[in-house]
């Protein structure tokens, strides 16, 4: 592709000795200087930790034919100076990969919690309807039987457009995408026009980036105000909104007739009927404008009922039959790390969940609290190098709703684990002052309160040892993750594996 075509609409800065008539062929677009090959265009992004302008000389040395940047630079290649290199990167990525998003149906799912589960449900529904879906999400991205790791919820625009091109080349018909607030703020989804957008809920999260809840909410709304296709005669409804959430009600009112309202507890276009919930799943039917949808799902908890309604709404907006929706919901047996049950627990109901923010943790605990006949034991910690304000909030939630709370490490990253735990404990002690010895959970008598065990493996063992038949144990914070980051070192650690190992040891000793 010629540089002029790739950068059409950008203002060229030719004060570098390069003639404006030069129009080289472009072999790649890169924002990481290590990926630059001869003929590439290098985009200098000012990141949160590193400023890409520092690497412009290296990129030029490796053969870049042009540089896109915000600050003025003097190098012996074409310089394209723009106000926002991230926006420029997104535009070039779309052009370089041939605008792949335009060739498929796109569904964007946003909200603080529930995005991953909704995408898994929709993936199964689309398969049952005879389509070929692809998914871009927190756990991974996948299409055509292939699965790839994804380090962030929504990839940078360059990787996203490349992935979408690979999807369309493989015959993918629909893409279901988790759309984070970061991606909306940072132009990662520029070039994507969504056929359907879903809002799940909004609660405390990412204030280290957004600063306030209002700014966080403003970012979320962009999916509906800037990236959603306008409604038309062929698609009169494109937005699906959970109106049980106060922000959802606000959003639905602003969208008017162009929205499907889901409501597990109030009035809506998509509501549950005759629902039965227990620790093995949810059964019932969904009343919609297109008829009844009976379902039987192994997903647990009231918040998963909300997720099921959101997925059903999105499918209806896409024109999928009620029969395919029912089949897809029933076929979604497990969402990795999302209130995922560890069956080896037997009469101990053991769940692993990704809930690493206050609203998600509260939803997960309440889901089990309302269904558990015995005690509820919660193991959790907070990640390092992330929003510190949520740590005491999460501590208070866990201690208030659990019979026994085990405070431990999550991913401390570069922070001192004990410092993080101390901040969590501030919240715990607002509602529970009874701190137990670390080995108290192993005692025959069952004591309520909280204990601190920085070693996550030992913390999980303490919680499972304290549990008896009929009790529920929630291991929260890491979910599907298979690693732990300690002092900058990444080690293998999977809560599900550890729980199974501990349970095997308990049963061997007759526990």
């Amino acid at each position: 592709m010629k540089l002029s075509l790739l950068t059409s609409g950008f203002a060229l800065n030719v004060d570098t000795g390069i003639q404006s008539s030069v129009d080289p062929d472009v072999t790649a677009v890169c924002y990481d200087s290590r990926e630059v090959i001869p003929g590439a265009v290098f985009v200098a992004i000012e990141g949160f930790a590193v400023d890409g302008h520092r690497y412009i000389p290296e990129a030029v040395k490796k053969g870049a034919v042009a540089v896109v940047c915000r600050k003025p630079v003097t190098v012996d290649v074409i310089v394209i100076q723009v106000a926002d290199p991230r926006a420029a990167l997104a535009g070039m990525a779309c052009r370089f990969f041939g605008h792949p998003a335009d060739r498929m149906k796109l569904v964007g799912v946003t909200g603080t919690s529930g995005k991953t589960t909704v995408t898994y449900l929709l993936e199964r529904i689309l398969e049952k309807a005879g389509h070929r879906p692809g998914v871009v999400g927190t756990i991974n991205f996948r299409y055509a039987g292939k699965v790839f790791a994804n380090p962030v919820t929504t990839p940078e625009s360059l990787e996203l457009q490349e992935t979408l091109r690979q999807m369309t080349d493989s015959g993918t018909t629909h893409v279901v995408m988790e759309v984070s607030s970061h991606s909306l703020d940072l132009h990662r989804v520029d070039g994507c026009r969504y056929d359907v957008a879903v809002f799940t809920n909004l609660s405390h999260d990412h204030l280290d980036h957004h600063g306030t809840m209002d700014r966080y909410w403003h970012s979320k709304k962009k999916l509906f105000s800037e990236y959603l296709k306008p409604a038309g005669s062929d698609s009169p409804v494109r937005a699906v909104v959970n109106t049980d959430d106060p922000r959802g009600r606000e959003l639905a009112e602003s969208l008017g007739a162009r929205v499907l309202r889901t409501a597990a507890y109030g009035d809506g276009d998509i509501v549950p009927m005759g629902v039965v919930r227990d620790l093995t799943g949810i059964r019932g039917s969904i009343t919609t404008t297109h008829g009844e949808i009976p379902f039987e799902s192994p997903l647990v908890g009231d918040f998963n009922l909300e997720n099921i309604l959101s997925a059903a709404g999105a499918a209806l907006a896409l024109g999928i039959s009620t029969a395919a929706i029912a089949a897809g919901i029933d076929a979604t047996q497990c969402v990795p790390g999302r209130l995922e049950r560890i069956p080896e627990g037997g009469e101990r109901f053991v769940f692993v969940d990704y809930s690493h923010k206050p609203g998600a943790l509260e939803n997960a605990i309440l889901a089990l609290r309302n269904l558990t006949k015995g005690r509820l034991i919660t193991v959790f910690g907070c990640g390092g190098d992330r929003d510190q304000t949520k740590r005491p909030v999460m501590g208070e939630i866990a201690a208030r709703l659990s019979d026994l709370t085990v405070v431990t490490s999550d991913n401390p990253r570069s922070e001192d684990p004990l410092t993080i735990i101390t901040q969590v404990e501030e919240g715990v002690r607002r509602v529970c002052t009874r701190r137990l010895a670390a080995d108290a959970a192993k005692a025959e008598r069952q004591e309520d309160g909280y204990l601190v065990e920085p070693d996550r493996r030992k913390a999980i063992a303490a919680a499972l040892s304290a549990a008896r038949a009929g009790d529920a144990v929630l291991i929260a914070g890491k979910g599907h993750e298979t690693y732990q980051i300690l002092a900058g070192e990444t080690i293998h650690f999977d809560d599900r594996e550890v729980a199974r190992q501990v349970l095997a040891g308990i049963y061997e000793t007759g526990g």
Side-chain angles (χ1 to χ4, degrees), residues 210-344:
H210 297 289
T212 67
M213 286 296 294
D214 283 341
R215 291 197 191 106
Y216 179 34
W217 174 227
H218 178 73
S219 295
K220 291 289 189 186
K221 287 193 293 185
K222 288 180 182 178
L223 176 62
F224 299 86
S225 62
E226 299 180 20
Y227 295 92
L228 184 61
K229 291 179 179 177
S233 57
D234 58 333
S235 297
V237 176
R238 293 193 182 276
V240 179
V241 177
N242 173 17
T243 53
D244 285 330
D245 185 275
R247 298 286 194 172
R249 289 194 293 273
E250 174 189 326
L251 177 62
E253 289 174 6
S254 71
L255 294 171
R258 299 174 296 152
V259 62
L260 280 175
R261 295 164 173 83
T262 68
Y265 315 107
D267 295 330
D269 305 300
I270 300 169
V271 297
M273 293 290 291
V275 171
V276 177
R277 310 164 179 83
D278 58 33
L279 289 173
T280 65
I282 311 170
R283 299 168 292 284
S285 64
I286 303 170
T287 300
T288 78
T289 53
H290 292 68
E292 298 290 316
I293 304 174
F295 72 95
E296 184 169 352
S297 171
L299 303 181
V300 173
D302 287 344
F303 68 90
N304 270 323
L305 177 59
E306 295 178 20
N307 293 332
I308 288 170
L309 297 179
S310 292
L316 289 172
L318 288 169
I320 294 174
S321 71
T322 56
I325 295 171
I329 294 170
D330 293 355
T332 309
Q333 293 298 304
C334 174
V335 179
R338 270 56 178 182
L339 216 56
E340 179 180 353
R341 187 179 174 194
I342 307 300
E344 290 84 352

Side-chain angles (χ1 to χ4, degrees), residues 78-388:
I78 295 173
V79 174
I80 304 169
Q81 198 169 345
V82 297
D84 191 337
R86 285 187 182 274
L89 175 66
M92 288 189 289
C94 289
R95 293 170 188 167
F96 190 79
F97 291 108
H99 298 277
D102 295 344
R103 308 182 198 178
M104 300 172 287
K105 294 277 189 180
L106 296 190
V107 180
V109 185
T110 199
T112 305
S113 304
K115 298 186 295 296
T116 299
T117 299
V118 172
T119 63
Y120 268 81
L121 286 160
L122 269 174
E123 180 182 25
R124 294 290 170 263
I125 291 170
L126 287 164
E127 288 173 348
K128 294 299 181 181
H131 300 299
R132 301 182 66 182
V135 176
V136 177
T138 303
I139 296 177
N140 52 42
F141 60 87
R142 50 195 185 274
Y143 61 92
K146 303 173 184 176
V147 179
F148 303 88
N150 185 11
V152 293
T153 298
T154 313
E156 190 60 73
S157 59
L158 185 65
E159 286 80 12
L160 177 59
Q161 294 300 323
E162 182 177 17
T163 298
L164 293 176
R165 177 57 185 263
Q166 293 167 352
M167 286 180 171
T168 190
D169 287 349
S170 72
T172 299
T173 59
H174 294 67
V175 178
V176 186
M177 188 186 306
E178 294 185 46
V179 184
S180 68
S181 57
H182 284 71
S183 71
L184 292 162
D185 262 3
L186 302 175
H187 299 283
R188 291 177 184 171
V189 293
D190 283 12
C192 295
R193 297 283 282 167
Y194 293 90
D195 295 272
V196 175
V198 179
F199 172 75
T200 59
N201 50 63
L202 193 85
S203 62
H204 183 130
D205 198 24
H206 300 308
L207 297 193
D208 52 336
H209 173 73
H210 297 289
T212 67
M213 286 296 294
D214 283 341
R215 291 197 191 106
Y216 179 34
W217 174 227
H218 178 73
S219 295
K220 291 289 189 186
K221 287 193 293 185
K222 288 180 182 178
L223 176 62
F224 299 86
S225 62
E226 299 180 20
Y227 295 92
L228 184 61
K229 291 179 179 177
S233 57
D234 58 333
S235 297
V237 176
R238 293 193 182 276
V240 179
V241 177
N242 173 17
T243 53
D244 285 330
D245 185 275
R247 298 286 194 172
R249 289 194 293 273
E250 174 189 326
L251 177 62
E253 289 174 6
S254 71
L255 294 171
R258 299 174 296 152
V259 62
L260 280 175
R261 295 164 173 83
T262 68
Y265 315 107
D267 295 330
D269 305 300
I270 300 169
V271 297
M273 293 290 291
V275 171
V276 177
R277 310 164 179 83
D278 58 33
L279 289 173
T280 65
I282 311 170
R283 299 168 292 284
S285 64
I286 303 170
T287 300
T288 78
T289 53
H290 292 68
E292 298 290 316
I293 304 174
F295 72 95
E296 184 169 352
S297 171
L299 303 181
V300 173
D302 287 344
F303 68 90
N304 270 323
L305 177 59
E306 295 178 20
N307 293 332
I308 288 170
L309 297 179
S310 292
L316 289 172
L318 288 169
I320 294 174
S321 71
T322 56
I325 295 171
I329 294 170
D330 293 355
T332 309
Q333 293 298 304
C334 174
V335 179
R338 270 56 178 182
L339 216 56
E340 179 180 353
R341 187 179 174 194
I342 307 300
E344 290 84 352
E347 294 183 350
R348 296 173 173 92
F349 293 91
V350 181
F351 296 87
V352 170
D353 192 74
Y354 188 52
S355 45
H356 57 286
K357 43 206 164 193
L361 181 64
E362 184 168 16
N363 285 338
I365 297 176
L366 282 174
L368 300 181
R369 175 84 282 170
N370 295 333
L371 301 173
T372 301
K373 296 179 180 178
R375 293 198 309 160
L376 174 58
I377 301 168
T378 299
V379 183
F380 88 104
C382 289
D385 302 333
R386 298 294 186 270
D387 181 6
Q388 296 186 17

